[in-house]
Amino acid sequence: MNSLTSHLSPLTSLRAIEPEDLDLLYRIENDTALWAVGTSNVPYSRYLLHDYVAHATADIYTDRQARLMVDNAEGQTVGIADLVSFDPSNRRAEVGLIILNEYRHQGYATSALQQLCDYARRVLHLHQLYAYVDVHNEASLALFRKAGFTAAVRMPDWLCDGDSYHDAWLVQRLF
């Protein structure tokens, strides 16, 4: 198992998705509580996720995304880190990061985001990373600020939780 580890972030390691991760991936993708903080709001079948894991090339230029599992130092999978909407012409990608509830507030998100930024800059040679964050999600905004992201644009009514719309910050980090 190859890891994308950083000497700056010893709490976690990032690794490719394995078939053994299917149940966890299914749990994360179908957690309706997470739909309000992201741009996806449709359930994924186990079959579709299995097909994705089986056919992903692990080449960001082919797949236009990199989905990585976040493991802690004990080898427990604590979340998932994504680079999606990869745009090679403009050398940028959107960041997605989910740490499972039982592992939050332990430094894993900070560690994983730092590693993702390091990977994007050093390996993929990206110029920028960005994310959309609900203006009321103070924890996520603090996480991104700590990782060197700045709030660039406030997007009115950008996210919908099913009942109402919420403004979001487009946060970005330039390298």
Side-chain angles (χ1 to χ4, degrees), residues 4 60-61 115-126:
L4 302 171
I60 195 169
Y61 288 91
Q115 288 182 57
L116 200 59
C117 289
D118 191 51
Y119 174 67
R121 184 174 55 88
R122 294 178 189 262
V123 177
L124 300 176
H125 308 289
L126 296 186

Side-chain angles (χ1 to χ4, degrees), residues 10-21:
L11 289 178
T12 60
S13 60
L14 303 179
R15 63 169 176 82
I17 295 176
E18 299 285 348
E20 296 79 18
D21 297 315

Side-chain angles (χ1 to χ4, degrees), residues 7 14 27 29 40 43-44 48 51 61-62 71 74-75 79 86 89 92 110 117 120 123 130-131 135 154-155:
H7 64 281
L14 303 179
R27 183 175 136 201
E29 293 293 352
S40 176
Y44 285 91
L48 186 63
D51 191 57
Y61 288 91
T62 299
D71 288 350
E74 291 78 35
F86 172 62
S89 297
R92 67 175 169 240
T110 300
C117 289
V123 177
Y130 65 93
V135 296
R154 187 173 177 138
M155 314 287 281

